[in-house]
Amino acid sequence: MFGLHQDEIDRRFMQQALELARRALDSHDVPVGALVVHESRVIGRGYNQREKLHDPTAHAEMIALSAAAEYLGQWRLDDCTLYVTLEPCTMCAGALVLARLPRLVYAAADPKAGACGSLFEITQDARLNHRVETTAGVLAEPAAELLREFFRNRRAQGDK
């Protein structure tokens, strides 16, 4: 994206991730959206589908990473950036390290389960063979508002 600063590029892609998060919200799942970008092109998209697929691993990040790997025809996601609306959990952070993803951008922090700085620091752990450059807080408030809306609705329906 010629002529744009990195923070503007990050905001534009995060806006797309927020649109994916709204799809998760519409399907009654935790509103998290993710996309993988390679050479300024989105090559993988995902949103939480645990409820729809009855799959505990159907996190937005996992779906987006799988789609990107399929697109590239390899498991190494060199030169890619993952944009996600919520700080990745331990499973997803581990997948970022295993995929050799160089960069992560996330919106809202997750103090209860975040594994990229909040609760754990998997993506920066020197004991692992790869580290992921991380930018946090891009469009954090709109992402957090989607999460608040989801949990307000769940509580109103008597769900935990």
Side-chain angles (χ1 to χ4, degrees), residues 103-155:
R103 185 163 184 258
L104 162 69
V105 179
Y106 71 83
D110 186 351
K112 291 185 178 181
C116 301
S118 289
L119 187 60
F120 300 106
E121 189 59 270
I122 291 173
T123 53
Q124 294 300 312
D125 193 320
R127 296 170 295 179
L128 300 174
N129 65 340
H130 179 76
R131 268 149 300 304
V132 180
E133 175 191 333
T134 302
T135 301
V138 176
L139 298 181
E141 187 49 39
E145 182 51 40
L146 279 176
L147 291 161
R148 285 190 292 268
E149 178 183 343
F150 173 79
F151 288 109
R152 255 192 320 267
N153 291 342
R154 294 273 311 253
R155 284 189 298 275

Side-chain angles (χ1 to χ4, degrees), residues 47-119:
Y47 59 92
N48 273 5
Q49 296 184 56
R50 293 180 308 167
E51 300 298 333
K52 178 181 178 182
L53 300 176
H54 309 290
D55 180 352
T57 68
H59 289 204
E61 301 95 323
M62 301 299 283
I63 294 167
L65 291 172
S66 292
E70 184 174 341
Y71 177 88
L72 292 174
Q74 63 180 10
W75 61 268
R76 290 179 187 265
L77 298 182
D78 300 323
D79 302 319
C80 292
T81 299
L82 175 74
Y83 291 87
V84 62
T85 59
L86 182 64
E87 179 182 357
C89 69
T90 54
M91 173 183 69
C92 296
L96 300 180
V97 171
L98 292 173
R100 309 301 193 270
L101 190 94
R103 185 163 184 258
L104 162 69
V105 179
Y106 71 83
D110 186 351
K112 291 185 178 181
C116 301
S118 289
L119 187 60

